Amino acid sequence: MSRSSAQPDSGPASPRIGVYVCQCGGNISDVVDTATVAKTAALIPGVALSKVHAFMCSEPGQAMIAEDIRNEHLNRVVVASCSPFLHELTFRTAVHRGGLNPYLYEHVNIREQVSWAHHGDPAGATVKAIRLVAAAVHRLRHVEPLEEIRLPNHRRALVIGGGIAGMKAAGDLAGKGLDVVLVEQSATLGGRVNELSTLFPAEESAAPLVRRLNDDLQAHPRVVVLTETVVKAVSGFMGNYDVMVGPAPAAAGAASGADPQEGRHLTVGTIIVATGYDYYRPAEGEYGFQRHPQVIPMPEFITLLARASGETLEWQGRPVRRLGFMHCVGSRQIEGVHPPQPDGRVNDYCSRVCCTTALHQALAAKRRFPRMAVFDFHQDIRTYGRGHEDYYLRASQAGIMFFRFHGDDPPVVEPGSNGTPIQVRLKDWLTWGEEVVAPLDLLVLAVGMTPRDNRGLVSLLKLPVGADRFLQEVHPKLRPVETAVNGILLAGTAQAPMAIDETLASASAAAAKAAVLLAHDEVHLEPFKARVDPEKCVGCGVCFAQCAYDGALVREEGQREGAPITRAKVNPGLCVGCGACVAVCPTRAIDLQGWTLNQFEAMVDGLLSAPQPVAATNSNPVSDGRTH
Amino acid sequence: MAHVVNPDLVQDLKAFGARDIEACFNCGTCTAICPLSKDGVVFPRRIIRYVQTGMEHRLLCSLEPWLCYYCGECSETCPRNAQPGELMMAARRYLTAAYDWTGLGRRLYLDVRVELGAILGLAALVVALFVLLGGPMTTELTPEGGVQLNTFAPAHVIELLDWAVGGVLAVLLLSNVWRMHRWIVGGETGLKVPLGAYARGLSTLLIHFFTQKQWLGCTPGLTRITTTRWFKHFCIFAGYVTMFVLIVMFLRWFQTDAVHPVWHPQRWVGYMATGGLLYGVSNALIGRWRRREELHKHSHPSDWIFLVLLWLTTVTGILVHIFRIHGLPHATYITYVIHLAVLVPMLVIEVPFSKWAHLAYRPVAIYLQQVVQQARAAQAANPSPQPQPA
């Protein structure tokens, strides 16, 4: 590792490094001899002072660091404490408060990686802590002040999908004074809600709901609605997305001989994906689907009931006197019991809305046709939402008969033998598993929600997809509407099965998050990005092949020793700082800001040259803040 | 064999007094809280499910309704307010009607006009019989100053009529008990009951007939016995049975013209029996009127009619006695006719067709439960060589 000494030191002429060792209230000091670590660290060249504290992250601990920077003229700081996930930002802020550039700081993890990992070997743990501190000190000698990267932020949002989620998100954003473009591939807004009649739990009609959302959009001059339009291409990054939209395939075909419209370019800061769901389509023969014409999926029944007139409900010219509802069709499937989906998996998730939908429709049918016998076949009743359980209670009270099957032994639909066209045969666990036959005139399959086949959009936006094929958020609780792609958010059932109220709540959440991202004229990014030294770049192009992030490396024409050359240049908006290009550059022209090769080499030097532990005197009281 | 669902049975049970039983979602809280439900005889949930799914035959073969004494805990704790206790009550009415092969029980239960019409018709028949065949209404008093009732209505004639009516009713009731037995024992496919099991159970039958001690299982341990429903019911039972024995077996000794001194058993036995009846029946009537206790919250017309007839019978009987010993001939004769005009319809309507029949069905159910258990145990110990159905 002599190479580092051959390189010019990029740090200050006389580094004054402060080392702070945290006891974490015994979490660290019960194993690691923190006083010894501090005392030994003082011997490492460049360390101006070293201290121990019971809780370095406490307000006094942080204040001590800021004070020492000012009083002792420290120009670098090391804190040896817990995982950087917990407190790296805390101490970076403390360093900044002391007047130093926040990136002149190094966080050493001596809790998860030392005291918790080596609690059986205190002496060894103490040595390891000293080595890690030494590595950090050596690295700090080579760090430079860094600045956050600031990029212009285009304060406009794109919402993909004109169902109620997209409409709500667009309306909310416009209400916050932001420009929105809403693209919808079909000719009308409202999506699947347009196919519904009345909605639970408030029994309002679907049409006025869509109308009100639409009115909100129309009222806002800031909203541009593009129907029969799809996203054709996407490039750029958060704050600077360049999106090309064009006519939806069906609409393009309908364009009467006009030139196939070239795409229209939009520059937006953030994108909300609100592409919705599809209904599960049962396999042929699944609960008699397509074998018996009396077996129909829920959407078809909703339309049938909404349009019913007269004294009896009729299906294909026959009165429906006995109506059944089958729950969990396409949901909560079990491998080996249900036919797999094209990707080989079964839909093992719960679609959440079908239970209440089934009860809602069963009750509506029973009220409309009181003499009709209505049967409900379920594994469980999951009426989880506010007001949903009332449907279950009312359905029971109205005399709807419930039967419960086990998921691994689903009911069988067969030709009827008691004067009806079909019958359902099941082991009813409410009747101690007895085999029960329910003769039916019509069976409604409460089909679940499945993810839309959005392959094109998923690859355009590089969207993360979950094991259930729905789009996936970063963290289900802490970052529920963000995707792993910065600036791309999720709204509604593209993410997971949701009821209408949840869909709208999720759309509002996405709009609120988008408004945060669009709040400023600039986007601030961490400075840990690759940087090309144009003096060293010879234009070999090896790095391009390694870069996994489209557009992070761009080609730049230039001159080298009088000859034209195509150099690499980093687009910091798209670079994630993975370092793949650094590793392959033959001339060491590329380095990662904040994590340069020099710094890594210095760390190795530090690990190897760390001083032997110097026993601290017992008289040294803990957390006195004294300099060793 | 798969059971074909029948959604109509619920409506039938509702006609017999079941209330919001559709609201039941089969959680089983009622069965868990029931102090009498145990392994092997699980209720009320099982009975509710039979009703909900329309398993009519299973319901007919169930003895559980007779093992419930309506403490009301199930209705109080039901999370859906489905009133399982009232369903058990309705099931008892339903079964009483179903056991009756004449079909009259069902008509009497389901139409209160039919029941009232039958009562009034029978009452009119009794009055007509007295008008046509009654003895002279002498105003001459006995040496003690009592009314000569036996001149108007000779005890030996009344006794004959007692036996005639009693015989017909007994045949009807016993034939119903036979049907009940056939369903309960025959409902279990392949069960063969050894005759010895029937014989061994007879003591159970008698003990439960006379004590109704099963009911005490409903009562929390420290309750004073005289405050229990069982005690009030026992007053009715003991008074009724005593009076029944006196009237059917010892009428000539009981219905005398001679006015015995107070310490004579004819008088104090009669006083105790009628006193018990009056206390118990009045208490039940007041309870149903006030609707405080769970078992009194809902009353079917048949409940009212039974209690009112029993109360009237008791009161008119007491009045006959008072008028007789105080030498009021016409009051005595008229009250006597009224007494019989209430008593006869009560017996004819209630014994084989309605609520009275529980006197037989409850102990028989406990008896048959034991018989069936013994038969099962015998079969388990000696498995039949034939292959069991899967």
Side-chain angles (χ1 to χ4, degrees):
Chain A
M1 291 299 132
S2 56
R3 220 177 343 163
S4 71
S5 51
Q7 304 262 337
D9 194 0
S10 56
S14 56
R16 289 185 58 77
I17 300 173
V19 174
Y20 296 89
V21 184
C22 179
Q23 296 183 318
C24 197
N27 265 304
I28 294 169
S29 56
D30 285 353
V31 177
V32 174
D33 183 349
T34 44
T36 298
V37 173
K39 193 167 181 186
T40 312
L43 303 176
I44 305 166
V47 174
L49 61 83
S50 63
K51 289 182 177 177
V52 177
H53 198 284
F55 290 103
M56 202 61 80
C57 58
S58 65
E59 192 45 45
Q62 292 187 50
M64 177 172 77
I65 295 172
E67 218 167 286
D68 285 351
I69 291 170
R70 282 191 293 268
N71 299 341
E72 304 286 334
H73 307 291
L74 300 178
N75 52 20
R76 304 281 192 276
V77 169
V78 173
V79 175
S81 60
C82 54
S83 160
F85 274 112
L86 263 86
H87 281 309
E88 184 175 40
L89 208 59
T90 311
F91 295 120
R92 226 191 250 167
T93 313
V95 166
H96 187 58
R97 260 198 284 164
L100 271 186
N101 178 288
Y103 298 97
L104 298 175
Y105 165 74
E106 179 69 355
H107 195 96
V108 180
N109 181 354
I110 60 166
R111 192 177 73 173
E112 284 83 344
Q113 292 178 356
V114 181
S115 66
W116 286 358
H118 307 291
H119 48 80
D121 178 15
T126 304
V127 171
K128 181 175 176 182
I130 291 167
R131 284 182 190 276
L132 292 175
V133 168
V137 168
H138 278 248
R139 190 177 94 82
L140 275 181
R141 298 213 300 248
H142 295 266
V143 300
E144 305 163 46
L146 297 172
E147 293 301 328
E148 279 189 325
I149 296 167
R150 289 152 194 266
L151 296 166
N153 192 11
H154 292 271
R155 301 184 62 192
R156 176 153 78 152
L158 171 69
V159 178
I160 305 173
I164 55 162
M167 295 170 84
K168 179 72 175 163
D172 278 13
L173 279 166
K176 292 178 175 94
L178 293 160
D179 290 321
V180 191
V181 179
L182 174 64
V183 298
E184 161 59 38
Q185 65 176 2
S186 76
T188 51
L189 296 181
R192 296 233 176 261
V193 174
N194 287 331
E195 298 160 16
L196 304 176
S197 54
T198 56
L199 310 175
F200 60 79
E203 293 294 317
E204 80 265 53
S205 295
L209 179 88
V210 175
R211 206 155 48 231
R212 278 180 63 181
L213 287 170
N214 200 28
D215 291 347
D216 283 352
L217 292 184
Q218 302 303 329
H220 276 295
R222 289 181 174 278
V223 182
V224 175
V225 177
L226 305 173
T227 51
E228 296 179 276
T229 302
V230 293
V231 173
K232 301 272 191 189
V234 179
S235 61
F237 46 90
M238 183 167 87
N240 296 271
Y241 280 109
D242 178 32
V243 182
M244 190 175 81
V245 296
S256 52
D259 289 341
Q261 214 182 334
E262 247 310 286
R264 173 177 165 186
H265 282 273
L266 304 166
T267 309
V268 296
T270 180
I271 299 173
I272 294 178
V273 180
T275 47
Y277 67 97
D278 273 324
Y279 286 112
Y280 173 79
R281 180 159 175 85
E284 195 198 324
E286 190 175 354
Y287 295 115
F289 185 65
Q290 288 177 324
R291 298 234 173 102
H292 304 285
Q294 295 82 9
V295 178
I296 61 171
M298 181 65 82
E300 211 171 317
F301 179 77
I302 290 174
T303 311
L304 176 73
L305 185 64
R307 292 185 185 158
S309 57
E311 288 296 294
T312 49
L313 183 67
E314 284 197 4
W315 175 248
Q316 296 188 334
R318 241 188 87 99
V320 178
R321 296 202 176 85
R322 288 164 162 256
L323 171 67
F325 288 87
M326 184 67 67
H327 286 237
C328 289
V329 180
S331 306
R332 298 179 65 195
Q333 292 181 322
I334 297 172
E335 229 165 288
V337 175
H338 298 95
Q341 300 303 300
D343 69 347
R345 293 207 183 101
V346 292
N347 294 344
D348 55 3
Y349 54 85
C350 167
S351 292
R352 293 158 52 88
V353 296
C354 358
C355 275
T356 312
T357 304
L359 295 172
H360 178 223
Q361 290 299 314
L363 201 54
K366 183 82 184 170
R367 285 191 176 153
R368 176 80 177 72
F369 305 104
R371 280 184 302 171
M372 186 156 68
V374 183
F375 303 83
D376 178 290
F377 309 95
H378 63 264
Q379 319 185 45
D380 296 294
I381 300 280
R382 293 185 168 180
T383 45
Y384 63 94
R386 178 194 283 168
H388 294 201
E389 181 74 0
D390 290 352
Y391 283 94
Y392 183 25
L393 178 65
R394 277 183 260 154
S396 297
Q397 285 168 340
I400 290 163
M401 296 173 65
F402 290 88
F403 299 88
R404 185 177 189 189
F405 59 89
H406 278 186
D408 54 7
D409 189 10
V412 175
V413 180
E414 53 191 29
S417 56
N418 295 281
T420 58
I422 52 169
Q423 64 189 26
V424 169
R425 178 184 294 272
L426 78 156
K427 283 207 182 81
D428 176 30
W429 290 96
L430 297 178
T431 320
W432 316 278
E434 285 210 35
E435 197 170 69
V436 159
V437 163
L440 295 179
D441 297 310
L442 185 65
L443 177 66
V444 181
L445 305 182
V447 288
M449 290 185 174
T450 58
R452 271 257 161 104
D453 184 4
N454 267 340
R455 261 170 281 187
L457 195 65
V458 163
S459 80
L460 278 180
L461 296 174
K462 298 177 193 65
L463 294 171
V465 176
D468 56 6
R469 304 188 311 283
F470 283 97
L471 302 180
Q472 198 170 32
E473 67 285 339
V474 178
H475 189 284
K477 298 177 187 70
L478 297 173
R479 298 173 69 185
V481 296
E482 295 164 78
T483 67
V485 186
N486 275 342
I488 297 189
L489 309 171
L490 301 174
T493 51
Q495 186 180 8
M498 294 179 193
I500 288 174
D501 49 354
E502 296 159 334
T503 300
L504 295 175
S506 132
S508 282
K513 191 71 207 176
V516 171
L517 299 179
L518 300 179
H520 302 286
D521 292 330
E522 287 180 327
V523 186
H524 294 209
L525 303 173
E526 288 259 48
F528 306 118
K529 311 284 183 183
R531 186 169 59 186
V532 181
D533 181 348
E535 294 302 311
K536 291 185 183 168
C537 179
V538 294
C540 68
V542 173
C543 50
F544 286 99
Q546 296 302 319
C547 182
Y549 299 88
D550 273 356
L553 278 177
V554 291
R555 287 166 214 273
E556 192 182 45
E557 304 300 329
Q559 295 267 322
R560 185 181 171 87
E561 293 163 359
I565 182 178
T566 306
R567 287 199 186 86
K569 192 186 168 198
V570 174
N571 180 342
L574 290 176
C575 175
V576 301
C578 69
C581 54
V582 179
V584 298
C585 181
T587 60
R588 292 189 64 161
I590 315 183
D591 239 333
L592 209 57
Q593 292 190 79
W595 292 101
T596 64
L597 289 173
N598 279 349
Q599 290 165 9
F600 279 110
E601 284 159 1
M603 285 174 81
V604 175
D605 287 346
L607 286 171
L608 296 175
S609 67
Q612 290 300 307
V614 181
T617 52
N618 285 341
S619 62
N620 176 33
V622 159
S623 72
D624 59 350
R626 258 171 53 199
T627 306
H628 288 278
Chain B
M1 247 244 324
H3 163 77
V4 178
V5 174
N6 168 21
D8 302 327
L9 188 61
V10 175
Q11 291 314 318
D12 208 9
L13 265 291
K14 289 189 100 170
F16 279 94
R19 302 190 73 85
D20 300 317
I21 204 61
E22 296 102 323
C24 164
F25 60 0
N26 300 281
C27 67
T29 303
C30 50
T31 304
I33 200 86
C34 174
L36 295 176
S37 173
K38 49 183 183 260
D39 277 354
V41 276
V42 182
F43 57 92
R45 173 164 126 70
R46 186 176 283 263
I47 299 301
I48 296 172
R49 195 62 188 160
Y50 288 159
V51 172
Q52 283 184 330
T53 55
M55 297 190 166
E56 196 179 349
H57 185 67
R58 289 283 171 80
L59 180 60
L60 292 174
C61 297
S62 301
L63 47 76
E64 285 88 347
W66 300 114
L67 304 181
C68 159
Y69 288 84
Y70 208 159
C71 64
E73 295 246 13
C74 52
S75 292
E76 276 165 25
T77 51
C78 175
R80 281 290 189 94
N81 214 359
Q83 316 230 26
E86 199 56 28
L87 175 88
M88 296 301 276
M89 188 72 223
R92 287 191 282 278
R93 294 183 196 119
Y94 175 88
L95 289 178
T96 303
Y99 296 153
D100 167 41
W101 52 270
T102 64
L104 285 171
R106 192 178 164 83
R107 299 199 57 190
L108 292 166
Y109 261 124
L110 294 186
D111 195 341
V112 68
R113 290 167 305 178
V114 173
E115 188 162 11
L116 288 176
I119 288 165
L120 292 175
L122 284 166
L125 184 67
V126 169
V127 174
L129 282 175
F130 270 106
V131 170
L132 294 174
L133 307 172
M137 297 166 83
T138 173
T139 51
E140 210 172 297
L141 300 181
T142 60
E144 300 99 328
V147 177
Q148 293 190 23
L149 179 59
N150 282 292
T151 312
F152 174 66
H156 63 275
V157 178
I158 301 292
E159 192 175 54
L160 281 176
L161 289 171
D162 269 359
W163 290 348
V165 172
V168 171
L169 297 186
V171 167
L172 283 170
L173 182 64
L174 287 174
S175 61
N176 291 348
V177 169
W178 174 247
R179 275 158 66 85
M180 171 191 184
H181 153 262
R182 265 209 353 228
W183 269 321
I184 288 172
V185 174
E188 205 165 314
T189 327
L191 185 73
K192 289 223 174 71
V193 183
L195 278 177
Y198 284 113
R200 275 194 296 278
L202 281 174
S203 59
T204 307
L205 180 67
L206 291 175
I207 288 169
H208 284 279
F209 177 80
F210 281 109
T211 64
Q212 303 101 46
K213 66 177 187 160
Q214 183 90 348
W215 200 340
L216 289 168
C218 281
T219 313
L222 293 174
T223 319
R224 222 174 64 217
I225 201 148
T226 50
T227 64
T228 59
R229 262 290 129 208
W230 170 85
F231 178 76
K232 287 157 190 169
H233 180 271
F234 188 76
C235 288
I236 303 178
F237 169 82
Y240 188 90
V241 168
T242 308
M243 292 309 293
F244 187 84
V245 170
L246 289 180
I247 286 166
V248 174
M249 314 255 191
F250 303 103
L251 191 70
R252 294 187 209 194
W253 174 78
F254 185 65
Q255 185 183 308
T256 55
D257 288 348
V259 178
H260 294 303
V262 170
W263 45 261
H264 188 280
Q266 187 216 41
R267 283 184 72 172
W268 61 258
V269 169
Y271 290 156
M272 279 183 62
T274 48
L277 266 175
L278 198 60
Y279 167 71
V281 175
S282 304
N283 207 297
L285 279 170
I286 292 165
R288 285 199 181 271
W289 184 258
R290 284 188 177 159
R291 302 177 169 209
R292 283 194 192 143
E293 283 172 278
E294 199 60 51
L295 85 163
H296 286 152
K297 277 191 180 150
H298 309 286
S299 297
H300 191 264
S302 60
D303 300 325
W304 283 116
I305 288 171
F306 181 51
L307 286 174
V308 168
L309 291 179
L310 203 50
W311 192 83
L312 287 176
T313 307
T314 310
V315 170
T316 50
I318 293 169
L319 287 178
V320 168
H321 174 71
I322 293 170
F323 294 150
R324 183 178 70 81
I325 61 174
H326 286 93
L328 299 168
H330 285 102
T332 306
Y333 301 140
I334 292 167
T335 317
Y336 189 82
V337 172
I338 295 172
H339 178 65
L340 283 187
V342 178
L343 174 68
V344 169
M346 182 194 74
L347 291 176
V348 173
I349 302 291
E350 298 288 341
V351 171
F353 305 122
S354 195
K355 193 170 174 111
W356 190 99
H358 78 271
L359 241 76
Y361 299 150
R362 278 196 185 277
V364 166
I366 295 169
Y367 166 66
L368 289 177
Q369 184 197 357
Q370 186 184 325
V371 167
V372 167
Q373 269 169 2
Q374 286 190 0
R376 279 190 207 137
Q379 218 153 28
N382 270 324
S384 78
Q386 290 138 7
Q388 293 292 313

